[in-house]
Amino acid sequence: MSDPLSGDAGDAAARVDRMVAEAKQKAQRYQAMQSAVGQVSVTETGKDGLVTVTVDSAGNVTDLRITDQVRECSGAQVAAAVLTTLRRAQARLPDRLGEVMAETIGDDRQTMDTIVGNYRAKFPEPEPEEPDPGEDRNVRNLGGLEEESAPKPPPVRRPPGDSDDGDDGFGQSFMTRG
């Protein structure tokens, strides 16, 4: 790359002015992109029409609509519909952001690819829905840790007086009951 300040002083000043103007233009485009990205939202409706979810550019829920049809569904079905619809809305964000970025900073492919790639990693396409035939239809784990598949044995209860440490057999000392 040639030195922008080498050569004629008039040429150098013109090149510096041009570089400053280009930098200002680029900064304006990036500010416009940031503003436009901040306005992005995606709305997705579940395939059964039960749930509609809107997310902002960060993937946060900004609107949730649930129809009165939920009265005919179990809690597990409603939870699954909300989560599935939310994930589908979030998974649409990378494409929507790519469109906005192409309109504002379209010539900076590397920045667009990096940002869109980060969004794709954060909000991947949801897995296809497959109902589990053995699933309990009345209970749904909403993001907590999955329980072990083997049931835990019940705690062993000793009769009162079977210990010399003051434990009454129910996890408390007889001295601390209120």
Side-chain angles (χ1 to χ4, degrees):
M1 179 172 192
S2 66
D3 182 5
L5 301 178
S6 65
D8 185 336
D11 288 342
R15 284 191 295 261
V16 168
D17 288 344
R18 190 172 47 251
M19 288 175 19
V20 168
E22 288 171 4
K24 284 181 180 180
Q25 273 185 331
K26 189 171 188 176
Q28 288 173 343
R29 287 194 332 257
Y30 276 82
Q31 287 175 342
M33 185 241 349
Q34 185 176 11
S35 177
V37 163
Q39 300 299 315
V40 167
S41 69
V42 174
T43 300
E44 184 74 26
T45 300
K47 63 181 177 183
D48 56 3
L50 183 73
V51 174
T52 300
V53 177
T54 301
V55 295
D56 64 13
S57 62
N60 299 315
V61 176
T62 59
D63 190 32
L64 173 64
R65 296 174 190 251
I66 301 175
T67 68
D68 289 337
Q69 294 171 326
V70 296
R71 294 181 183 135
E72 301 164 11
C73 300
S74 70
Q77 290 169 321
V78 174
V82 169
L83 291 175
T84 299
T85 307
L86 169 62
R87 289 180 185 125
R88 286 182 26 221
Q90 290 172 331
R92 287 184 42 215
L93 278 172
D95 291 335
R96 182 65 189 114
L97 291 171
E99 293 168 7
V100 168
M101 292 173 68
E103 295 168 5
T104 54
I105 61 164
D107 63 337
D108 188 350
R109 194 75 217 165
Q110 183 178 3
T111 299
M112 289 175 49
D113 290 345
T114 299
I115 293 172
V116 170
N118 288 339
Y119 268 83
R120 285 197 198 293
K122 186 175 181 179
F123 302 118
E125 286 292 324
E127 305 226 355
E129 296 176 59
E130 292 182 26
D132 182 2
E135 182 180 344
D136 182 354
R137 300 289 181 218
N138 296 319
V139 177
R140 178 60 130 210
N141 184 350
L142 295 176
L145 296 174
E146 294 295 326
E147 295 183 28
E148 298 173 11
S149 57
K152 294 180 182 178
V156 176
R157 304 282 187 201
R158 291 179 287 157
D162 194 25
S163 168
D164 59 350
D165 63 357
D167 186 347
D168 68 359
F170 295 99
Q172 293 181 323
S173 168
F174 69 93
M175 300 293 286
T176 60
R177 283 200 194 146

